[in-house]
Amino acid sequence: MGMLNLGLVINPWAGIGGSVALKGSDNVRDQALALGAEPRANIRTRTALEKLLPWREQLRFHTAAGAMGADVLQQLGFQHQIVYHANGEFTSAADTVAAIKALAAQQLGLILFAGGDGTARDVYSELNALGVSELAPVLGIPAGVKIHSAVYAVSPQAAGEVLADLCQGKPLELTSAQVKDLDEDAYRAGNVRARLFGYLKVPAHPLLQQSKESARAVETQVVDDIAEQIVDEMADDVAYLLGSGTTCMAIKQRLGIEGSLLGVDVVKAGQLLSKDATEATLWNLLQNEPKAALVVTVIGGQGHVFGRGNQQLSPRILRRLGRQAISVVASPGKLQSLQGRPLLTDSGDPELDRDYSGPIRVVTGYRSEALYPLQ
């Protein structure tokens, strides 16, 4: 293989609000940092790039300085040229846009970016303004809280594997993928309003995630049946962590608690112990609960169980609970929307993801369940 020129831009603050239950990263960076959140976009980018180390001598990156790209490339020993310098440590969407503009001028084989839906929107906006949104191939490394856009790989490891195929000379067909974003203020208030902004060219690869389906596609009666089944199974001496989403909200409503649609709530013996809990709150609570269990749902169309919208459920939380304490709930229609693709976990800890892989019980109705592959 000859020299392959790639672009890289990282939104260092992507996902900063996830672990502290802020439902996103837009306009909440200072609040998230004050609550103890730690930036993880560079860690997730490193996970992707480590897959490319066998081809390090054949790769040359064009990137932005510091945490927007150069730092992780320097750590891994990749050749790189800095084409953009941000003005200060606290970068913004304007820096992402400026970095993409600088990268687009380099005529690169592919532009790699790390972030969430807001980052994808910034990438699209600039490439569209330059008239190359349907010409310049891109690939997203998922690092955000909410990821509705289909321009991202299903995990950082998957992004690295897609690029590894490219490094090995395998042909990668390109396809147009949706760029979507939510109104985060409405999202934090419990209203899911996803808007289609446009399309970007991405590799047509099975490791690219699908565009998230609307919760309106979930069958109301089936969801009620699932809620009834879960509530019937609950024991009074167990603390239950109830995840986000419409299906889990139906469980909270059946219990008669004032739960959160988009957060993780904790109940025990029918009483609400914690509403919209942060990762730290969940961890502290688990130290005092000898018995605990978790109920989570599936993102329709994508299949993610962990790593999208529920970063409060960190690797240490999941390890403390154990795989046997987890119940997945999903309507048959939601599973059918995956078209045979497995359920996905992207916890940020590859070892944990491997430990959690394999068939998992999915409650699909009242006294109805299925074993479905999780990877």
Side-chain angles (χ1 to χ4, degrees), residues 70-331:
D71 284 352
V72 69
L73 291 171
Q74 180 68 35
Q75 292 165 10
L76 292 174
F78 284 104
Q79 302 176 62
H80 61 279
Q81 176 183 348
I82 295 174
V83 298
Y84 177 74
H85 290 264
N87 184 21
E89 175 188 357
F90 292 104
T91 58
S92 66
D95 290 301
T96 300
V97 168
I100 290 295
K101 182 176 183 179
L103 292 175
Q106 304 299 316
Q107 302 295 311
L108 304 169
L110 181 144
I111 295 175
L112 188 64
F113 63 91
D117 281 334
T119 308
R121 179 179 169 182
D122 294 334
V123 171
Y124 165 75
S125 297
E126 183 56 27
L127 293 180
N128 186 57
L130 295 171
V132 296
S133 60
E134 287 289 316
L135 299 174
V138 303
L139 176 62
I141 300 171
V145 174
K146 51 179 181 53
I147 301 182
H148 289 61
S149 301
V151 297
Y152 286 96
V154 298
S155 68
Q157 298 93 326
E161 290 174 20
V162 173
L163 291 171
D165 283 352
L166 185 63
C167 292
Q168 294 175 75
K170 296 180 181 179
L172 288 180
E173 294 185 11
L174 298 177
T175 188
S176 295
Q178 293 181 342
V179 174
K180 290 184 174 181
D181 197 8
L182 290 178
D183 179 334
E184 283 202 358
D185 291 333
Y187 185 54
R188 294 185 184 103
N191 300 313
V192 182
R193 301 173 186 166
R195 175 184 170 190
L196 174 65
F197 284 90
Y199 295 84
L200 288 169
K201 286 293 185 183
V202 299
H205 198 286
L207 291 177
L208 269 286
Q209 73 176 33
Q210 305 298 305
S211 178
K212 183 184 184 300
E213 286 193 345
S214 168
R216 288 190 296 270
V218 179
E219 304 93 327
T220 303
Q221 183 58 54
V222 175
V223 169
D224 289 342
D225 290 345
I226 291 171
E228 184 178 357
Q229 175 67 32
I230 292 296
V231 172
D232 283 353
E233 293 179 349
M234 285 183 165
D236 287 346
D237 62 342
V238 177
Y240 291 90
L241 284 63
L242 303 178
S244 60
T246 305
T247 310
C248 288
M249 189 63 188
I251 299 169
K252 300 170 188 180
Q253 290 171 339
R254 181 165 285 274
L255 286 168
I257 64 170
E258 187 181 349
S260 56
L261 173 62
L262 303 170
V264 178
D265 307 317
V266 185
V267 297
K268 184 177 182 181
Q271 301 299 310
L272 182 63
L273 300 185
S274 182
K275 179 180 179 180
D276 201 6
T278 67
E279 192 273 349
T281 298
L282 293 174
W283 180 251
N284 290 334
L285 184 147
L286 289 176
Q287 309 313 303
N288 300 312
E289 293 293 340
K291 294 183 180 180
L294 169 66
V295 181
V296 288
T297 191
V298 177
I299 295 182
Q302 290 184 2
H304 281 92
V305 177
F306 302 113
R308 298 292 185 276
N310 58 11
Q311 282 92 334
Q312 305 95 316
L313 304 174
S314 66
R316 67 173 180 170
I317 297 287
L318 296 175
R319 281 200 175 89
R320 178 62 181 255
L321 289 165
R323 195 178 191 275
Q324 296 303 313
I326 295 172
S327 294
V328 179
V329 294
S331 70

